[in-house]
């Protein structure tokens, strides 16, 4: 036996990870012997490895065709395991010249002179992990492999550093600064907005620099969150540890968000030195939790080929250790525009325990990034595909990052008009808001619109694409004020608790107690009398990933039954998340005793092969409903790796003012509860409540504006319209159109009568 070690790795890998979720259709429960037979090498592992090694070693970085043996396409993750053995190593490789690039990537560079110019202009560094992934995936190579196209002069030459820039701090928002701890990265992404050498060559900060920045933060009580970023913060141990140590002592700081791409491109950062960083973060995370604060990890993933066993393992490990991991995705032309790419990516990340946060559209218009640019509408098109095919809990916020702040596409801002290669983007921010922390705020490329917020002339070289996304100017609207008294809130509470189940269904299941909410999601009444049929239905439909369990009086009242249903669902391998609806988490948090929390967390399994993620769903309708007990509860669940998320619904006179909703979103964030959906219409309680005093559709834009201006990006909910077609994102994956019969939701056959419309802004002229 020539390849004893390879065979051992292959056998072990398939024993542990041989499942369809990870390896694809046809590779469920496959053993190494099974793979040999399938590929025509029965009892001949030497022959199998000889052919496989030859193909892998000949392979050039960025090739796109599948590697197949005996007409069988070998799964990506299995190939990574084999490459780990035959191209082993975990070091970082800085590329200085073309011949080194050619030798590391097995690629012959055609225009060597120009490529050398690229290498001299923009730094290139790979991890060995990325060198292996680039051999197998053109979509990974596209992100890291230098290209002569980077010499194209189109685009911005300077990286934007925020309205306020002092020492290590950049600040674009009142409640959070960016704390830039280090400019170097272990690996350099070609689409990086800090790719220019002036950024990379900045000298490493000192502890004194860190202390100066911490002093500024301590003197500004409006700052609640700090984003620790770079470059990569883990490249500079002393400054990261000093920053965490000092920041945790500041009373008004609630959350430290640590940005890193290591999970995707250099997972060994967290395994090396006996897992130093992993242990350090988990220990510090616990200390912060004891102080009522928290650490979150922000990471980037772009394509499902970046997923590795190590990356899934790291995410699960962080989440089990009480550290939430959230994912952001730059939107790259010819890489992740196809919704199916992101559906697979987010599906795997969610089942490991991650939250999906943003897609940034389009990729930054910095010089050298042209290959990645798309028109703005391409991102909206992809969002529609995601809403159709992805579970709602993994649906990202679609956001445009302008230099004066983020725009949640078509809600907190929108494209107003095209101006050459620039688009006037309406933002949520005002000059006064920005001047509150950036006295010298510069109005270049800004204008004040009729509503009083700023439009920004944003460079989008590929333009708008679909011109229907140019919404134009909007008039100032009247502020909505509300006055919900205790009697009203008690009435609403009683109505919600009368029956916590929701029998809305987009299609018939023919099973009483089982309703279909989405292609990927059902709700199952714990009291369902046809459980046998319900399980058969769930087993047969492999699109279903999420099951919400509900009960008339809440799931805690029937916890034994919940446990037995979870055990019935566990063997159904396409179901990866079970969501327990309990509205009493809001109204009577004491029912969540230590025993109840232990039982629910005991049901969760964040394993890589057969994950079953547990989440708790609740609802808040008003700021006064939040109690200290909710912080305790969310913290107990988070320490066990379980997310508590809340929905809300707009109710006229109760919470439909922008300030009301911002207070709810702030409280959710403060208490570590994910604010998931804000329903604009379609929930039965709200449709009845709002019947005589309809929600004005345009006012939703004011709510979104206010949330974006004063909240953390992590607290902004997805704003949802529920209709007979299911759920869609307000004005993003849905669109209003005016017809002779009235206003309709595009694609709906019924007239849309649940909202009031104030003017033509959202639906245009007839
Ligand atoms: S990890 Fe982030 S900062 Fe570093 S190169 Fe990639 S995009 Fe740029």
């Amino acid at each position: 036996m020539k390849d004893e070690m390879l065979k051992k790795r292959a056998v072990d890998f398939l024993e542990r990870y041989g499942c369809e979720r990870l390896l694809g259709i046809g590779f469920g429960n496959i053993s190494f012997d099974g793979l040999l037979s399938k590929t025509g090498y029965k009892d001949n592992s030497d022959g199998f490895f000889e052919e496989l090694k030859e193909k892998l070693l000949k392979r050039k970085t960025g090739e796109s065709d599948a590697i197949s043996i005996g007409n069988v396409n070998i799964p990506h993750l299995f190939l990574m395991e084999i490459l780990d053995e035959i191209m082993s190593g975990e070091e970082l490789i800085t590329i200085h010249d073309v011949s080194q690039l050619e030798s590391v990537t097995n690629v012959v560079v055609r225009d060597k002179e120009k490529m050398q110019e690229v290498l001299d202009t923009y730094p290139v560094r790979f991890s060995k992990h990325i060198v292996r992934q680039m051999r197998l995936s053109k979509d990974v190579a596209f992100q890291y492999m230098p290209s002569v196209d980077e010499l194209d002069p189109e685009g911005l030459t300077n990286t934007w550093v925020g309205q306020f820039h002092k020492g290590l701090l950049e600040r674009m928002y009142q409640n959070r600064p960016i704390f830039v701890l280090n400019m170097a990265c272990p690996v350099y992404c070609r689409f990086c907005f800090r790719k220019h050498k002036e950024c990379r060559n900045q000298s490493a900060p000192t502890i004194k620099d860190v202390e100066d920045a911490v002093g500024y933060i301590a003197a500004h009580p409006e700052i609640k969150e700090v984003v620790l970023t770079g470059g990569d913060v883990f490249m500079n141990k002393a400054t990261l540890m000093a920053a965490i140590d000092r920041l945790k002592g500041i009373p008004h700081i609630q959350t430290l968000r640590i940005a890193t791409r290591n999970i995707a491109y250099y997972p060994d950062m967290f395994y090396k030195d006996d897992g130093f960083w992993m242990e350090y973060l988990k220990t510090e995370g616990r200390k912060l939790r004891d102080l009522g604060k928290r650490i979150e990890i922000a990471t980037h993933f772009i394509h499902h080929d970046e997923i590795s066993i190590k990356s899934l393992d790291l995410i699960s490990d962080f989440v089990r250790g009480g550290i939430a991991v959230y994912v952001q995705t730059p939107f790259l032309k010819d890489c992740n525009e196809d919704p199916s790419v992101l559906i697979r990516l987010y599906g795997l990340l969610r089942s490991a325990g991650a939250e999906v946060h943003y897609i940034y559209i389009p990729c930054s218009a910095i010089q050298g990034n042209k290959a990645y640019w798309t028109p703005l509408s391409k991102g909206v098109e992809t969002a529609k595909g995601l809403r159709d095919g992805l579970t709602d809990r993994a649906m990202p916020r679609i956001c445009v990052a302008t230099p004066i702040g983020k725009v949640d596409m078509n809600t907190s801002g929108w494209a107003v008009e095209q101006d050459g290669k620039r688009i006037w983007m309406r933002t949520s921010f005002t000059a006064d808001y920005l001047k509150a922390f950036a006295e010298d705020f510069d109005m270049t490329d800004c204008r004040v619109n009729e509503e009083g917020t700023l439009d920004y002339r944003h460079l989008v070289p590929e333009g708008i694409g679909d011109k229907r996304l140019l919404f134009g100017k909007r008039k100032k609207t009247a502020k909505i004020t509300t006055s919900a008294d205790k009697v009203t809130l008690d009435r609403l509470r009683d109505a919600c608790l009368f029956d916590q189940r929701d029998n809305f269904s987009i299609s018939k299941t023919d099973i009483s107690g089982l309703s279909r909410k989405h292609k990927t999601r059902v709700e199952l009444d714990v009291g369902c009398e046809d459980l046998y049929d319900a399980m058969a239905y769930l087993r047969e439909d492999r699109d279903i990933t999420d099951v919400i369990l509900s009960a008339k009086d809440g799931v805690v009242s029937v916890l034994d039954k919940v446990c037995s249903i979870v055990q019935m669902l566990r063997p159904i391998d396409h179901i990866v998340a079970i969501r327990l609806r309990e509205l009493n988490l809001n109204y009577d948090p004491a029912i969540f005793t230590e025993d109840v929390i232990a039982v629910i967390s005991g049901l969760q399994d964040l394993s890589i092969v057969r994950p079953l993620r547990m989440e708790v769903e609740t609802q808040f309708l008003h700021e006064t409903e939040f109690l200290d007990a909710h912080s305790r509860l969310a913290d107990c669940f988070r320490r066990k790796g379980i997310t508590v998320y809340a929905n809300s619904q707009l109710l006229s006179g109760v919470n439909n003012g922008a300030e009301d909703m911002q207070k709810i979103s702030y409280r959710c964030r403060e208490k570590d509860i994910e604010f998931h959906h804000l329903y604009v219409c379609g929930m039965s309680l709200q449709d009845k409540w709002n019947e005589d005093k309809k929600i004005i559709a345009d006012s939703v834009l004011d709510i979104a504006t206010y949330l974006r201006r004063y909240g953390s990006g992590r607290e902004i909910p997805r704003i949802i319209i529920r209709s007979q077609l299911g759920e869609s994102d307000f004005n993003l994956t849905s669109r209003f159109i005016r017809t002779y019969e009235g206003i309709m939701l595009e694609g709906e056959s019924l007239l849309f009568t649940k909202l009031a419309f104030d003017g033509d802004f959202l639906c245009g002229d007839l």
Side-chain angles (χ1 to χ4, degrees), residues 690-705:
N690 296 332
E691 203 163 1
D692 300 326
K693 37 192 182 319
K694 290 193 175 67
I695 297 290
I696 300 166
D698 289 57
S699 71
V700 175
L701 303 175
D702 297 317
I703 292 173
T705 297

Side-chain angles (χ1 to χ4, degrees), residues 296-313:
E296 293 181 338
I297 301 283
T299 192
H300 278 194
F301 276 86
I302 283 149
H303 191 281
H304 58 68
D305 283 352
E306 290 173 280
I307 294 279
S308 63
I309 298 294
K310 282 181 176 173
S311 62
L312 294 177
D313 205 35

Side-chain angles (χ1 to χ4, degrees), residues 144 183-195 200 229-232 260-262 265 300 330:
Y144 303 104
M183 274 303 179
C185 292
V187 177
Y188 289 116
C189 316
R190 309 321 298 162
F191 53 80
C192 180
F193 82 118
R194 295 192 198 267
K195 71 187 287 179
R200 301 293 182 212
T229 186
D232 190 86
T260 180
R261 246 202 124 192
N262 282 314
Y265 65 32
H300 278 194

Side-chain angles (χ1 to χ4, degrees), residues 320-350:
R320 277 193 296 262
I323 296 178
V325 176
Y326 66 91
V327 176
Q328 317 189 90
T329 302
F331 190 62
L332 305 186
K333 185 184 176 193
D334 295 334
C335 186
N336 61 4
E337 298 159 296
D338 180 346
S340 69
V341 167
L342 293 172
I343 288 171
R344 174 155 170 79
L345 173 70
Y346 293 152
L348 287 167
L349 293 171
R350 169 165 157 72

